[in-house]
Amino acid sequence: MAKMNLLQAINSALDVAMAKNDKVSVFGEDVGHFGGVFRATSGLQEKYGRARCFNTPLVEQGIIGFANGLAAQGSLPVAEIQFGDYIFPAFDQIVNETAKFRYRSGNEFNVGGLTIRTPYGGGIHGGHYHSQSPEAYFAHTPGLKIVMPRNPYQAKGLLLSAIFDPNPVIFMEPKRLYRAAVGEVPEEEYTLPLGKAEVVQEGSDVTVIGWGAQVEVIERAAELAKKDGVSVEIIDLRSILPWDVDTVAKSVMKTGRAVVSQEAPHTMAFGSEVAATIQERCFLYLESPVMRASGLDTPYPLAHEKEYFSDHLKTYEAIKRSLNY
């Protein structure tokens, strides 16, 4: 075991994958000698050469188009989109090509070896174009998997699973935690299951569901609730496509209350899907409506980030609304 921050865990996962299989390559904007804007790929070009870790032009649709072609030939490309906010020029390639390659051919060919890494989320004073949480756009697309880790240990194990999973995966990394989240991480290879949630903390009064960086926010809210005598069960979805309905439903049927906490804007965010599914599966067990804590329905503001941000106080208030209904 070694102490790593989330960036170092990502780098370690890429290093392990590239050492394990020569078909793994890493590319994107500035990922080569420079190591990427966050240095997630530091040292990989020096270790594995310019043919397996290299820079691309600043053209996101080209990065993913190239990655689709490479994956279609049996390679295992790991394409980096520098910020989640920049992924939209590649939207057509991802939702109309990456997600549908296998289906359009009756599984004669596919791009299942493709992994797309991108940092998401706010809390870094990044303003409109460096703070968004765009996971819901892609969660509406059959044929993709979407993974969002909460800490270094989860990040390495889930990324290794994503790289070698036989389906295309969008791996969304919480940039706010890149250097803030530190933990013990095995230096060797290990994997964690995709599509399987984890009960981070057991409780009896209310279930709070989140993913990615929001899990740390939920843990802080649960501490406040604990002072009020409220026992909070915390679930980290880890994957939002597919997501683990059974684990969530089992928990909500036990506690009778549910809160979904997310960083994205409120309307039509992935939390809405979670809330709708809970009421379908757990309606007769619910003691109150499913509550949501979210960002605001505005573009991500620079000057008012603190007011916009879906922090622990918003989640704590949602817990109280659920309990006091």
Side-chain angles (χ1 to χ4, degrees):
M1 302 287 280
K3 185 166 285 189
M4 300 184 193
N5 63 28
L6 200 140
L7 273 176
Q8 291 166 329
I10 295 292
N11 183 272
S12 178
L14 294 171
D15 187 8
V16 169
M18 294 177 81
K20 178 180 178 179
N21 193 318
D22 290 342
K23 292 184 176 182
V24 178
S25 59
V26 175
F27 50 88
E29 297 166 6
D30 302 318
V31 305
H33 178 73
F34 188 61
V37 68
F38 294 105
R39 308 298 188 269
T41 54
S42 290
L44 296 180
Q45 187 177 86
E46 288 79 1
K47 190 170 183 178
Y48 297 103
R50 295 168 63 93
R52 295 184 62 200
C53 180
F54 53 90
N55 296 337
T56 65
L58 307 184
V59 52
E60 285 76 18
Q61 60 267 54
I63 294 171
I64 304 303
F66 171 72
N68 280 333
L70 201 57
Q73 302 302 313
S75 293
L76 301 172
V78 182
E80 179 183 301
I81 301 295
Q82 196 171 77
F83 285 87
D85 314 61
Y86 301 165
I87 203 168
F88 298 109
F91 195 79
D92 178 63
Q93 281 294 321
I94 295 170
V95 303
N96 276 334
E97 303 299 339
T98 303
K100 296 176 175 61
F101 239 70
R102 189 189 306 276
Y103 297 88
R104 67 187 289 199
S105 70
N107 203 32
E108 288 296 313
F109 50 87
N110 67 79
V111 295
L114 172 58
T115 303
I116 302 168
R117 290 182 46 249
T118 192
Y120 82 94
I124 63 162
H125 308 291
H128 292 337
Y129 302 118
H130 300 81
S131 305
Q132 297 177 70
S133 298
E135 64 268 20
Y137 292 100
F138 300 100
H140 191 61
T141 307
L144 300 174
K145 290 189 176 183
I146 303 172
V147 179
M148 303 176 75
R150 72 176 186 271
N151 63 28
Y153 178 83
Q154 297 288 322
K156 180 174 178 178
L158 290 168
L159 181 54
L160 281 166
S161 293
I163 291 171
F164 295 109
D165 191 88
N167 300 279
V169 180
I170 301 178
F171 192 85
M172 304 185 74
E173 302 162 7
K175 71 173 90 71
R176 180 166 58 84
L177 299 184
Y178 265 159
R179 292 182 174 84
V182 178
E184 294 292 324
V185 179
E187 294 182 299
E188 68 274 7
E189 180 182 6
Y190 65 97
T191 58
L192 296 171
L194 305 187
K196 180 65 177 174
E198 181 180 17
V199 179
V200 177
Q201 173 180 299
E202 293 194 356
S204 57
D205 296 327
V206 59
T207 300
V208 186
I209 303 115
W211 50 90
Q214 204 65 13
V215 176
E216 182 260 344
V217 171
I218 294 170
E219 288 174 332
R220 293 172 64 193
E223 284 299 313
L224 292 177
K226 185 177 180 180
K227 294 177 182 178
D228 298 335
V230 177
S231 173
V232 178
E233 182 142 303
I234 302 172
I235 294 180
D236 175 12
L237 290 186
R238 300 197 289 190
S239 299
I240 67 165
L241 191 67
W243 68 284
D244 187 354
V245 178
D246 290 341
T247 294
V248 172
K250 181 180 178 182
S251 174
V252 174
M253 284 189 278
K254 178 181 76 171
T255 65
R257 293 178 173 86
V259 173
V260 186
S261 181
Q262 60 194 350
E263 191 171 327
H266 188 75
T267 300
M268 300 299 289
F270 187 72
S272 302
E273 173 66 22
V274 177
T277 303
I278 289 172
Q279 72 86 19
E280 285 180 356
R281 292 282 295 268
C282 310
F283 184 73
L284 294 178
Y285 294 83
L286 289 172
E287 301 291 343
S288 64
V290 181
M291 301 295 177
R292 289 177 286 163
S294 315
L296 303 179
D297 285 332
T298 69
Y300 206 109
L302 177 60
H304 297 287
E305 181 172 51
K306 186 176 181 181
E307 290 82 0
Y308 176 97
F309 193 70
S310 183
D311 63 7
H312 64 294
L313 297 176
K314 289 184 180 180
T315 298
Y316 174 54
E317 290 297 326
I319 292 171
K320 291 199 294 184
R321 289 198 307 273
S322 179
L323 269 293
N324 296 331
Y325 180 78

